[in-house]
Amino acid sequence: WEFARLGRMLERADKTARIIDVKYFILLPSVEYIGMPYDHILWGSILRSASAFEMYRKRHGQIVPDKIIEFLVLDNEFPRAIHHCLIMAEQSLRNISGTGRGRFTNPAEKTLGRLLADLDYTQIEEIKTIGLHEFIDNLQTRLNQVGAAVYETFFAIPGAPVAAPVQVKE
């Protein structure tokens, strides 16, 4: 059960990151639309895509891009927020290994712990300084590293040769 929850939380964090990145930066026709009514419609659709629209409106009221980013990335209570997902993933990982928070006994705990610690102290101003797309891109890279560390720690067979890709002749 803990492995399933760990995987579900990592996947949910990744999908929320993809929704933010794809919906906003690929679908926005040009930078002239930023701050325009179309921009607010797009941010509302991002919230809907993450099943976050109603909860966001209850907490924050008006559509404010900075608050939406903060809500979907940094909120530690909303179940679809990236930060919350990583908190739950770490909890599952620690339940699997029996290691307390603040320590690590394997690469998976270390990799996830570093990512979570960074998110614990990240503020919206830092995301804006880096750039939302760049921040999300880095976050997805780090999520992939966590997934690889989980695989190597718990599922890879030590010393097993890696199979070469099969080439198909035409």
Side-chain angles (χ1 to χ4, degrees), residues 20 31 55 60 70-72 105 113 125 129 150 153-154 169:
I20 295 167
V31 290
M55 183 58 79
H60 301 288
E70 197 169 27
F71 184 67
L72 290 176
T105 58
E125 292 78 23
T129 299
V150 169
T153 301
F154 297 105
K169 292 182 182 181

Side-chain angles (χ1 to χ4, degrees), residues 115-129:
L115 176 55
L116 187 54
D118 286 347
L119 275 182
D120 284 342
Y121 295 99
T122 299
Q123 295 179 319
I124 188 66
E125 292 78 23
E126 294 171 65
I127 295 173
K128 288 168 53 178
T129 299

Side-chain angles (χ1 to χ4, degrees), residues 17 21 131-144:
D21 199 32
L132 181 59
H133 172 71
E134 290 75 12
F135 178 84
I136 293 293
D137 195 44
N138 178 264
L139 179 69
Q140 287 180 310
T141 299
R142 293 181 73 186
L143 285 169
N144 289 338

Side-chain angles (χ1 to χ4, degrees), residues 4-134:
R5 186 171 84 154
L6 170 63
R8 186 173 62 248
M9 292 297 107
L10 292 175
E11 181 78 8
R12 185 177 288 173
D14 179 66
K15 295 307 174 203
T16 298
R18 287 178 192 273
I19 286 169
I20 295 167
D21 199 32
V22 169
K23 281 270 196 192
Y24 192 71
F25 286 95
I26 292 181
L27 297 180
L28 187 67
S30 81
V31 290
E32 289 97 37
Y33 285 94
I34 294 175
M36 304 299 278
Y38 180 77
D39 191 38
H40 290 303
I41 291 168
L42 191 55
W43 280 110
S45 73
I46 290 170
L47 287 169
R48 283 185 184 89
S49 295
S51 301
F53 187 78
E54 289 181 37
M55 183 58 79
Y56 172 84
R57 294 293 297 236
K58 285 179 184 178
R59 278 203 202 164
H60 301 288
Q62 292 186 340
I63 302 290
V64 178
D66 286 0
K67 293 232 180 259
I68 293 170
I69 296 166
E70 197 169 27
F71 184 67
L72 290 176
V73 176
L74 303 177
D75 193 282
N76 61 3
E77 294 176 355
F78 179 61
R80 298 216 185 276
I82 294 168
H83 191 197
H84 176 79
C85 291
L86 295 180
I87 290 169
M88 294 293 104
E90 185 192 45
Q91 188 177 54
S92 288
L93 187 56
R94 296 201 176 280
N95 287 342
I96 292 166
S97 67
T99 306
R101 185 142 206 255
R103 299 181 319 148
F104 66 91
T105 58
N106 60 61
E109 291 172 349
K110 182 178 180 180
T111 307
L112 180 55
R114 278 191 175 158
L115 176 55
L116 187 54
D118 286 347
L119 275 182
D120 284 342
Y121 295 99
T122 299
Q123 295 179 319
I124 188 66
E125 292 78 23
E126 294 171 65
I127 295 173
K128 288 168 53 178
T129 299
I130 295 168
L132 181 59
H133 172 71
E134 290 75 12

